[in-house]
Amino acid sequence: MKRIFTILMLLLTAQLAAQNREVKLDLHSPRVHYYLDLADALDSRGELNVAQAAWKGADVWVLLRLDDGNIIFQKRPGGRFFYGVSPDRKSTMRYTRAQAIAELNWWLTLCYGLSEQDRQYEHLGFSQPCFMRAGDTPLETCPGEETRATIGVEPDYVGTKYQHSGEHTDGVRMTLWTTHDLTFAVLYRTDDLPCVEQGTGRVNFVTLVAFDIDEYLPQPEPSVGILPEDIPLGASLQGAFEVLDRHGFVELADAAVDQVWDEYNAALGGALGAADIQVTMSGRLDGAPCEITLHTATPGGTVHTVSGCFTDCYPTREALRGELLRRCEAIADRCGAGSWERLADGSEAFVIRNDRGSIALWAEQIGPVLEHEGEYRIVFVLRP
């Protein structure tokens, strides 16, 4: 009896080991595909912006292909990619990138394992929202140009259709149609063709677009970059450029922009300064993304002024105020005490003066000039 038990255990161990060797499932597995709702994924220019979707905490749809042609398809809350339960299980904790990857891999393996268990006992779809492959078919939609434009794929485009009976969706039968390369998908109720309601523009479907999960997960902590007080005032333009270049800044060079700049400068009697006596660069200043411009009086001259802005924008002055105060305090801790001074336009700037010169920071409105409209950002000027 003992010998038979030992043999059975060895066979079971060998079987599990074979399964583990066969299925190496992780977030980069070719079995796994990730989607964002198109409404969450597009920025104001109509371009795919995964970082923006991650910032909003947009939900992620995960498609996991099974080896029988069917798929597991379910929505995973965006917060689960960034937060988890702390070891004491009394609070939440923010994930590092490594923790987020480990948790995602665990979840994918669990989903796959449960589906395999269901299939073993002929209960496919019992534990996971499993969609059955219904074959190749054109995307069927309600007639009308508006629907076609909103969905983004011609209705006669042939793709793959998957369906399930309503498990995990409160009994509502759902259909998922995907392009053959799985880069684009439409999710809708099986009994209702995808439509755009005339007049109101309401839709009864979800348009999904595939993306790279690496762009969505927590990103590595950025370096601090250069500090405002370390920007070399008084250096040659080339010398200052090289300092910033070593700290990861890149030049925003554009011949067409330079030409327009010079035309405006000429129209304003030289008040702006010619394009060849300044350089604009993009990088990280004090840990945040920014753009700065190095100004000289003559070609090849020394840098007499550095102006710039932190590129993060805020909807109101109040929303920006806390960040502005934090940056003012951080610079004052390093460079000396400062004070709030009134600018010519009536706004206030925080100004620090020391033996190297002055640093001024204030809030600037961009976009519409009407009160409470547009956006606001932090701008700064360094002078000797």
Side-chain angles (χ1 to χ4, degrees), residues 341-349 362:
E341 301 180 9
R342 186 73 60 181
L343 299 177
D345 63 359
S347 59
E348 282 190 315
W362 66 96

Side-chain angles (χ1 to χ4, degrees), residues 201-224:
R202 285 197 292 264
V203 299
N204 64 353
F205 58 89
V206 178
T207 301
L208 302 167
V209 59
F211 70 98
D212 184 349
I213 191 63
D214 281 324
E215 298 179 32
Y216 188 90
L217 294 167
Q219 300 301 305
E221 287 296 321
S223 61
V224 170

Side-chain angles (χ1 to χ4, degrees), residues 21-305:
R21 285 194 301 270
E22 180 182 354
V23 180
K24 296 180 179 179
L25 191 64
D26 64 13
L27 76 163
H28 293 129
S29 169
R31 292 176 179 268
V32 186
H33 301 265
Y34 307 91
Y35 298 86
L36 287 168
D37 186 332
L38 195 61
D40 292 324
L42 297 183
D43 60 18
S44 59
R45 297 171 295 179
E47 298 177 357
L48 180 64
N49 190 327
V50 179
Q52 172 183 281
W55 178 79
K56 293 192 298 185
D59 296 333
V60 175
W61 296 82
V62 182
L63 184 155
L64 176 56
R65 289 195 293 186
L66 304 176
D67 54 18
D68 59 1
N70 300 317
I71 62 171
I72 299 169
F73 185 72
Q74 60 181 303
K75 181 167 63 175
R76 185 163 173 78
R80 295 294 297 274
F81 291 87
F82 298 94
Y83 294 94
V85 179
S86 62
D88 60 12
R89 308 196 67 81
K90 294 180 180 179
S91 62
T92 58
M93 58 179 283
R94 186 171 182 85
Y95 281 147
T96 64
R97 185 175 179 83
Q99 289 169 329
I101 289 173
E103 203 277 340
L104 178 57
N105 286 340
W106 172 84
W107 180 76
L108 291 171
T109 302
L110 175 66
C111 290
Y112 185 83
L114 288 174
S115 69
E116 289 295 280
Q117 178 178 292
D118 286 350
R119 184 161 57 177
Q120 179 183 353
Y121 295 103
E122 299 182 352
H123 292 150
L124 192 60
F126 179 78
S127 299
Q128 296 291 308
C130 184
F131 282 60
M132 313 294 287
R133 192 178 190 278
D136 295 337
T137 178
L139 175 61
E140 299 176 282
T141 67
C142 292
E145 292 297 325
E146 187 177 355
T147 294
R148 182 175 301 146
T150 302
I151 293 178
V153 171
E154 293 294 327
D156 56 355
Y157 187 99
V158 176
T160 306
K161 185 163 71 173
Y162 300 89
Q163 293 178 309
H164 76 80
S165 61
E167 290 288 341
H168 306 281
T169 54
D170 298 326
V172 178
R173 294 188 302 150
M174 299 296 294
T175 295
L176 178 74
W177 181 94
T178 74
T179 53
H180 286 316
D181 59 5
L182 297 174
T183 59
F184 187 90
V186 179
L187 180 67
Y188 58 95
R189 291 174 64 129
T190 300
D191 299 327
D192 299 322
L193 293 179
C195 276
V196 179
E197 185 177 290
Q198 297 295 325
T200 65
R202 285 197 292 264
V203 299
N204 64 353
F205 58 89
V206 178
T207 301
L208 302 167
V209 59
F211 70 98
D212 184 349
I213 191 63
D214 281 324
E215 298 179 32
Y216 188 90
L217 294 167
Q219 300 301 305
E221 287 296 321
S223 61
V224 170
I226 197 169
L227 299 175
E229 60 270 25
D230 295 328
I231 296 177
L233 288 168
S236 67
L237 187 59
Q238 181 61 31
F241 175 90
E242 291 174 356
V243 170
L244 294 174
D245 180 69
R246 289 196 298 271
H247 284 84
F249 278 72
V250 294
E251 182 179 4
L252 302 178
D254 190 317
V257 172
D258 287 348
Q259 179 181 352
V260 172
W261 179 280
D262 285 338
E263 290 174 0
Y264 274 108
N265 181 51
L268 295 173
L272 298 177
D276 63 353
I277 62 173
Q278 58 194 8
V279 172
T280 299
M281 306 182 74
S282 174
R284 299 194 76 85
L285 184 67
D286 213 358
C290 77
E291 292 179 5
I292 64 173
T293 300
L294 307 171
H295 301 267
T296 66
T298 59
T302 59
V303 176
H304 63 73
T305 302

